[in-house]
Amino acid sequence: EKDLQINDRIEKMRLSATRSLIERSDVIIVSSVSCIYGLGTPEYYSQMLLKLAVGQEVRRDDLLLHLVEMHYVRNDYDLVRATFRVRGDVLEIVPAYEDEIAYRVEFFGDEVERLSEVDPISGKVRRRLEEIAIFPGSHYVTPEHVRHLALETIQRELGERVALFEQEQRLVEAQRLRDRTRHDMEMIREI
């Protein structure tokens, strides 16, 4: 249990450090190699950044989907790090790199009407904001266009492999490969 808590704290610090490197130009981070090992692709991390501003037009459901793609988890009861809560036209998000603050996004239709920094426990508004930036909840995020490109590559390679099996008269292997890949692709699309 102690190790889990330490790992969670380290992950929070890693996410906070990554955010600082992207947001600011005056940051230098000194750490052990183990702290930077396996950080994923920095470009993908930056591309998944969510920026919101008062008056911005955005569908609430698209925003929720983007949060899930950023590795945030919907939790309508316990608002903790890397979670979000939805109540009608109000969305509350606790960034993955914070414990003490949450952001409240209030909608009027498809328009961001108000942004606030709030206390995640009491829900009290600390201050009003004009814009916010939410960074991904994990270093291992992948933008949608990259996932689609991977799926296309897998399907192309599948066609090549099936053609090879058929050319060699290995029809059972070709059919098994088609069936297995079809199943796997359906599961990937659901994700």
Side-chain angles (χ1 to χ4, degrees):
E1 182 178 44
K2 183 177 180 183
D3 288 341
L4 249 138
Q5 290 174 349
I6 290 172
N7 288 341
D8 187 57
R9 194 173 89 233
I10 289 171
E11 184 62 15
K12 177 184 151 202
M13 290 189 297
R14 284 169 33 123
L15 289 165
S16 181
T18 306
R19 181 196 71 176
S20 295
L21 282 171
I22 292 171
E23 280 188 330
R24 302 173 52 157
S25 61
D26 62 346
V27 174
I28 297 174
I29 297 174
V30 179
S31 70
S32 68
V33 173
S34 64
C35 287
I36 60 171
Y37 179 74
L39 284 181
T41 307
E43 293 82 18
Y44 295 168
Y45 185 85
S46 296
Q47 288 175 18
M48 296 296 287
L49 171 68
L50 172 64
K51 290 185 177 182
L52 295 172
V54 173
Q56 180 179 342
E57 292 282 327
V58 61
R59 286 188 58 235
R60 187 193 74 146
D61 290 348
D62 291 343
L63 184 58
L64 300 181
L65 180 60
H66 188 68
L67 284 168
V68 170
E69 289 174 344
M70 291 172 53
H71 294 209
Y72 281 77
V73 177
R74 183 172 180 167
N75 185 336
D76 291 336
Y77 304 104
D78 191 18
L79 201 56
V80 294
R81 194 172 75 77
T83 64
F84 64 94
R85 169 170 61 201
V86 183
R87 294 179 179 165
D89 286 343
V90 177
L91 166 65
E92 294 175 324
I93 309 161
V94 178
Y97 41 86
E98 297 285 352
D99 281 327
E100 314 256 331
I101 67 166
Y103 294 113
R104 181 176 293 150
V105 182
E106 298 175 58
F107 291 92
F108 183 77
D110 288 341
E111 181 182 338
V112 176
E113 183 178 42
R114 187 177 304 145
L115 295 170
S116 309
E117 181 182 299
V118 299
D119 182 285
I121 296 171
S122 69
K124 280 188 167 185
V125 175
R126 292 182 178 170
R127 63 186 175 130
R128 298 281 183 217
L129 304 167
E130 288 300 310
E131 59 185 22
I132 60 171
I134 306 289
F135 287 82
S138 167
H139 287 104
Y140 308 105
V141 292
T142 306
E144 188 174 0
H145 73 277
V146 174
R147 288 194 314 268
H148 286 294
L149 181 61
L151 288 173
E152 290 170 8
T153 303
I154 291 168
Q155 288 178 329
R156 188 184 72 248
E157 290 175 3
L158 167 67
E160 293 169 4
R161 180 60 68 176
V162 167
L164 177 69
F165 283 154
E166 288 174 346
Q167 180 182 351
E168 295 174 354
Q169 296 298 312
R170 297 169 60 187
L171 302 178
V172 173
E173 288 92 340
Q175 187 58 46
R176 283 187 180 161
L177 184 57
R178 271 193 218 100
D179 293 343
R180 181 64 192 169
T181 305
R182 187 177 307 117
H183 174 266
D184 292 348
M185 296 300 273
E186 288 172 6
M187 291 188 65
I188 290 170
R189 283 189 187 100
E190 289 177 8
I191 295 173

CSV table of all heavy atoms in Angstrom, one decimal, residues 68-99:
chain,number,residue,atom,x,y,z
A,68,VAL,N,-12.0,11.6,-21.9
A,68,VAL,CA,-11.8,10.1,-21.8
A,68,VAL,C,-10.6,9.7,-22.6
A,68,VAL,O,-9.7,8.9,-22.2
A,68,VAL,CB,-13.0,9.3,-22.2
A,68,VAL,CG1,-12.7,7.8,-22.3
A,68,VAL,CG2,-14.2,9.6,-21.2
A,69,GLU,N,-10.4,10.3,-23.8
A,69,GLU,CA,-9.3,10.0,-24.7
A,69,GLU,C,-8.0,10.5,-24.0
A,69,GLU,O,-6.9,10.0,-24.2
A,69,GLU,CB,-9.4,10.7,-26.0
A,69,GLU,CG,-10.5,10.0,-26.9
A,69,GLU,CD,-10.7,10.8,-28.2
A,69,GLU,OE1,-10.3,12.0,-28.3
A,69,GLU,OE2,-11.3,10.2,-29.1
A,70,MET,N,-8.1,11.5,-23.1
A,70,MET,CA,-6.9,12.0,-22.4
A,70,MET,C,-6.7,11.2,-21.1
A,70,MET,O,-5.8,11.6,-20.3
A,70,MET,CB,-7.2,13.5,-22.0
A,70,MET,CG,-7.2,14.4,-23.2
A,70,MET,SD,-7.7,16.1,-22.7
A,70,MET,CE,-6.7,16.5,-21.4
A,71,HIS,N,-7.4,10.1,-20.9
A,71,HIS,CA,-7.2,9.2,-19.8
A,71,HIS,C,-7.8,9.8,-18.5
A,71,HIS,O,-7.3,9.5,-17.4
A,71,HIS,CB,-5.8,8.8,-19.6
A,71,HIS,CG,-5.3,8.0,-20.7
A,71,HIS,ND1,-4.3,7.0,-20.6
A,71,HIS,CD2,-5.6,7.9,-22.1
A,71,HIS,CE1,-4.0,6.4,-21.7
A,71,HIS,NE2,-4.8,7.0,-22.6
A,72,TYR,N,-8.8,10.6,-18.6
A,72,TYR,CA,-9.6,11.0,-17.4
A,72,TYR,C,-10.7,10.1,-17.2
A,72,TYR,O,-11.2,9.5,-18.2
A,72,TYR,CB,-10.1,12.4,-17.6
A,72,TYR,CG,-9.0,13.5,-17.3
A,72,TYR,CD1,-8.0,13.7,-18.2
A,72,TYR,CD2,-8.9,14.1,-16.1
A,72,TYR,CE1,-7.0,14.6,-18.0
A,72,TYR,CE2,-7.9,15.0,-15.8
A,72,TYR,CZ,-6.9,15.3,-16.8
A,72,TYR,OH,-5.9,16.2,-16.5
A,73,VAL,N,-11.2,9.9,-16.0
A,73,VAL,CA,-12.2,8.9,-15.7
A,73,VAL,C,-13.4,9.7,-15.1
A,73,VAL,O,-13.3,10.6,-14.2
A,73,VAL,CB,-11.8,7.9,-14.6
A,73,VAL,CG1,-12.9,7.0,-14.2
A,73,VAL,CG2,-10.6,7.1,-15.2
A,74,ARG,N,-14.6,9.4,-15.6
A,74,ARG,CA,-15.8,10.0,-15.1
A,74,ARG,C,-16.1,9.4,-13.8
A,74,ARG,O,-16.2,8.2,-13.6
A,74,ARG,CB,-17.0,9.8,-16.1
A,74,ARG,CG,-18.2,10.5,-15.6
A,74,ARG,CD,-19.3,10.5,-16.6
A,74,ARG,NE,-20.5,11.2,-16.0
A,74,ARG,CZ,-21.6,11.5,-16.8
A,74,ARG,NH1,-21.6,11.3,-18.1
A,74,ARG,NH2,-22.6,12.1,-16.2
A,75,ASN,N,-16.4,10.3,-12.8
A,75,ASN,CA,-16.7,9.8,-11.4
A,75,ASN,C,-17.6,10.9,-10.9
A,75,ASN,O,-17.2,11.9,-10.4
A,75,ASN,CB,-15.4,9.7,-10.6
A,75,ASN,CG,-15.7,9.1,-9.2
A,75,ASN,OD1,-16.8,9.2,-8.7
A,75,ASN,ND2,-14.7,8.5,-8.6
A,76,ASP,N,-18.9,10.6,-10.8
A,76,ASP,CA,-19.9,11.6,-10.4
A,76,ASP,C,-20.0,11.7,-8.9
A,76,ASP,O,-20.8,12.5,-8.4
A,76,ASP,CB,-21.3,11.2,-11.0
A,76,ASP,CG,-21.3,11.4,-12.5
A,76,ASP,OD1,-20.5,12.2,-13.0
A,76,ASP,OD2,-22.1,10.8,-13.2
A,77,TYR,N,-19.2,10.9,-8.1
A,77,TYR,CA,-19.3,10.9,-6.7
A,77,TYR,C,-18.1,11.5,-6.0
A,77,TYR,O,-18.2,12.4,-5.2
A,77,TYR,CB,-19.6,9.5,-6.1
A,77,TYR,CG,-20.9,8.9,-6.8
A,77,TYR,CD1,-20.8,8.0,-7.7
A,77,TYR,CD2,-22.1,9.4,-6.4
A,77,TYR,CE1,-21.9,7.4,-8.3
A,77,TYR,CE2,-23.3,8.9,-7.0
A,77,TYR,CZ,-23.2,7.9,-7.9
A,77,TYR,OH,-24.3,7.4,-8.5
A,78,ASP,N,-16.9,11.0,-6.4
A,78,ASP,CA,-15.7,11.3,-5.7
A,78,ASP,C,-14.8,12.1,-6.7
A,78,ASP,O,-14.2,11.5,-7.5
A,78,ASP,CB,-15.0,10.1,-5.2
A,78,ASP,CG,-13.9,10.4,-4.2
A,78,ASP,OD1,-13.8,11.5,-3.7
A,78,ASP,OD2,-13.0,9.5,-4.0
A,79,LEU,N,-14.7,13.4,-6.5
A,79,LEU,CA,-13.9,14.2,-7.4
A,79,LEU,C,-12.4,14.2,-7.0
A,79,LEU,O,-12.1,14.9,-6.0
A,79,LEU,CB,-14.5,15.6,-7.5
A,79,LEU,CG,-14.1,16.4,-8.7
A,79,LEU,CD1,-14.5,15.7,-10.0
A,79,LEU,CD2,-14.8,17.8,-8.6
A,80,VAL,N,-11.6,13.4,-7.6
A,80,VAL,CA,-10.2,13.2,-7.2
A,80,VAL,C,-9.4,13.5,-8.4
A,80,VAL,O,-9.9,13.6,-9.5
A,80,VAL,CB,-9.9,11.9,-6.6
A,80,VAL,CG1,-10.6,11.7,-5.2
A,80,VAL,CG2,-10.3,10.7,-7.5
A,81,ARG,N,-8.1,13.4,-8.3
A,81,ARG,CA,-7.1,13.6,-9.4
A,81,ARG,C,-7.4,12.7,-10.6
A,81,ARG,O,-7.8,11.6,-10.5
A,81,ARG,CB,-5.7,13.2,-8.8
A,81,ARG,CG,-4.6,13.7,-9.6
A,81,ARG,CD,-3.3,13.5,-8.9
A,81,ARG,NE,-2.9,12.1,-8.8
A,81,ARG,CZ,-2.3,11.4,-9.9
A,81,ARG,NH1,-2.1,12.0,-11.0
A,81,ARG,NH2,-2.0,10.2,-9.8
A,82,ALA,N,-7.4,13.4,-11.8
A,82,ALA,CA,-7.6,12.7,-13.1
A,82,ALA,C,-9.0,12.2,-13.2
A,82,ALA,O,-9.3,11.2,-13.9
A,82,ALA,CB,-6.6,11.6,-13.3
A,83,THR,N,-10.0,12.9,-12.6
A,83,THR,CA,-11.4,12.5,-12.8
A,83,THR,C,-12.2,13.7,-13.2
A,83,THR,O,-11.7,14.9,-13.1
A,83,THR,CB,-12.0,12.0,-11.5
A,83,THR,OG1,-12.0,13.0,-10.5
A,83,THR,CG2,-11.3,10.7,-11.0
A,84,PHE,N,-13.4,13.5,-13.7
A,84,PHE,CA,-14.3,14.6,-14.0
A,84,PHE,C,-15.7,14.2,-13.6
A,84,PHE,O,-16.0,13.0,-13.5
A,84,PHE,CB,-14.3,15.0,-15.5
A,84,PHE,CG,-14.7,14.0,-16.5
A,84,PHE,CD1,-16.0,13.9,-16.9
A,84,PHE,CD2,-13.8,13.0,-17.0
A,84,PHE,CE1,-16.4,13.0,-17.9
A,84,PHE,CE2,-14.2,12.1,-17.9
A,84,PHE,CZ,-15.5,12.1,-18.3
A,85,ARG,N,-16.6,15.2,-13.3
A,85,ARG,CA,-17.9,15.0,-12.9
A,85,ARG,C,-18.8,15.8,-13.8
A,85,ARG,O,-18.5,17.0,-14.1
A,85,ARG,CB,-18.0,15.3,-11.4
A,85,ARG,CG,-19.4,15.4,-10.9
A,85,ARG,CD,-19.5,15.5,-9.4
A,85,ARG,NE,-18.8,16.7,-8.9
A,85,ARG,CZ,-18.4,16.8,-7.6
A,85,ARG,NH1,-18.5,15.8,-6.8
A,85,ARG,NH2,-17.8,17.9,-7.2
A,86,VAL,N,-20.0,15.3,-14.1
A,86,VAL,CA,-21.0,16.0,-14.9
A,86,VAL,C,-22.3,16.1,-14.2
A,86,VAL,O,-22.8,15.0,-13.8
A,86,VAL,CB,-21.1,15.3,-16.3
A,86,VAL,CG1,-22.1,16.1,-17.2
A,86,VAL,CG2,-19.8,15.1,-17.0
A,87,ARG,N,-22.8,17.3,-14.1
A,87,ARG,CA,-24.2,17.5,-13.6
A,87,ARG,C,-24.9,18.5,-14.4
A,87,ARG,O,-24.7,19.7,-14.3
A,87,ARG,CB,-24.1,18.0,-12.1
A,87,ARG,CG,-23.5,17.0,-11.2
A,87,ARG,CD,-23.4,17.5,-9.8
A,87,ARG,NE,-22.9,16.5,-8.9
A,87,ARG,CZ,-22.4,16.7,-7.7
A,87,ARG,NH1,-22.4,18.0,-7.2
A,87,ARG,NH2,-21.9,15.8,-6.9
A,88,GLY,N,-25.7,18.0,-15.3
A,88,GLY,CA,-26.4,18.9,-16.3
A,88,GLY,C,-25.5,19.6,-17.2
A,88,GLY,O,-24.7,19.0,-17.9
A,89,ASP,N,-25.5,20.9,-17.1
A,89,ASP,CA,-24.6,21.8,-17.9
A,89,ASP,C,-23.4,22.2,-17.2
A,89,ASP,O,-22.7,23.1,-17.6
A,89,ASP,CB,-25.4,23.0,-18.4
A,89,ASP,CG,-26.4,22.7,-19.5
A,89,ASP,OD1,-26.3,21.6,-20.1
A,89,ASP,OD2,-27.3,23.5,-19.7
A,90,VAL,N,-23.0,21.5,-16.1
A,90,VAL,CA,-21.8,21.8,-15.4
A,90,VAL,C,-20.9,20.6,-15.4
A,90,VAL,O,-21.3,19.5,-15.0
A,90,VAL,CB,-22.2,22.2,-13.9
A,90,VAL,CG1,-20.9,22.5,-13.1
A,90,VAL,CG2,-23.1,23.4,-13.9
A,91,LEU,N,-19.6,20.9,-15.8
A,91,LEU,CA,-18.6,19.9,-15.8
A,91,LEU,C,-17.5,20.3,-14.8
A,91,LEU,O,-17.1,21.5,-14.9
A,91,LEU,CB,-18.0,19.8,-17.2
A,91,LEU,CG,-16.7,19.1,-17.5
A,91,LEU,CD1,-16.9,17.6,-17.1
A,91,LEU,CD2,-16.2,19.3,-18.9
A,92,GLU,N,-17.1,19.4,-14.0
A,92,GLU,CA,-16.0,19.7,-13.1
A,92,GLU,C,-14.9,18.7,-13.3
A,92,GLU,O,-15.1,17.5,-13.5
A,92,GLU,CB,-16.4,19.6,-11.6
A,92,GLU,CG,-17.4,20.7,-11.3
A,92,GLU,CD,-18.0,20.6,-9.9
A,92,GLU,OE1,-18.2,19.4,-9.4
A,92,GLU,OE2,-18.3,21.6,-9.3
A,93,ILE,N,-13.6,19.2,-13.4
A,93,ILE,CA,-12.5,18.4,-13.8
A,93,ILE,C,-11.4,18.6,-12.7
A,93,ILE,O,-11.1,19.8,-12.4
A,93,ILE,CB,-11.9,18.8,-15.2
A,93,ILE,CG1,-13.0,18.8,-16.2
A,93,ILE,CG2,-10.7,17.9,-15.6
A,93,ILE,CD1,-12.6,19.6,-17.4
A,94,VAL,N,-10.8,17.6,-12.2
A,94,VAL,CA,-9.6,17.7,-11.4
A,94,VAL,C,-8.4,17.2,-12.2
A,94,VAL,O,-8.4,16.0,-12.6
A,94,VAL,CB,-9.7,16.8,-10.1
A,94,VAL,CG1,-8.4,17.0,-9.3
A,94,VAL,CG2,-10.8,17.3,-9.2
A,95,PRO,N,-7.5,18.1,-12.6
A,95,PRO,CA,-6.4,17.7,-13.4
A,95,PRO,C,-5.5,16.6,-12.8
A,95,PRO,O,-5.5,16.5,-11.6
A,95,PRO,CB,-5.6,19.0,-13.5
A,95,PRO,CG,-6.5,20.1,-13.3
A,95,PRO,CD,-7.5,19.5,-12.3
A,96,ALA,N,-4.9,15.8,-13.6
A,96,ALA,CA,-4.1,14.7,-13.1
A,96,ALA,C,-2.9,15.1,-12.4
A,96,ALA,O,-2.3,14.4,-11.6
A,96,ALA,CB,-3.7,13.8,-14.3
A,97,TYR,N,-2.5,16.4,-12.5
A,97,TYR,CA,-1.3,16.9,-11.9
A,97,TYR,C,-1.6,17.8,-10.7
A,97,TYR,O,-0.8,18.5,-10.2
A,97,TYR,CB,-0.5,17.7,-12.9
A,97,TYR,CG,-1.3,18.5,-13.8
A,97,TYR,CD1,-1.7,19.8,-13.5
A,97,TYR,CD2,-1.8,18.0,-15.0
A,97,TYR,CE1,-2.5,20.6,-14.3
A,97,TYR,CE2,-2.6,18.8,-15.8
A,97,TYR,CZ,-3.0,20.0,-15.5
A,97,TYR,OH,-3.8,20.8,-16.3
A,98,GLU,N,-2.9,17.7,-10.2
A,98,GLU,CA,-3.3,18.6,-9.1
A,98,GLU,C,-4.1,17.7,-8.1
A,98,GLU,O,-4.7,16.8,-8.5
A,98,GLU,CB,-4.2,19.7,-9.6
A,98,GLU,CG,-3.6,20.7,-10.5
A,98,GLU,CD,-2.6,21.7,-9.8
A,98,GLU,OE1,-2.6,21.7,-8.5
A,98,GLU,OE2,-2.0,22.4,-10.5
A,99,ASP,N,-4.1,18.2,-6.8
A,99,ASP,CA,-5.0,17.6,-5.8
A,99,ASP,C,-5.9,18.6,-5.2
A,99,ASP,O,-7.0,18.3,-4.8
A,99,ASP,CB,-4.1,17.0,-4.7
A,99,ASP,CG,-3.5,15.7,-5.0
A,99,ASP,OD1,-4.2,14.9,-5.7
A,99,ASP,OD2,-2.4,15.4,-4.5
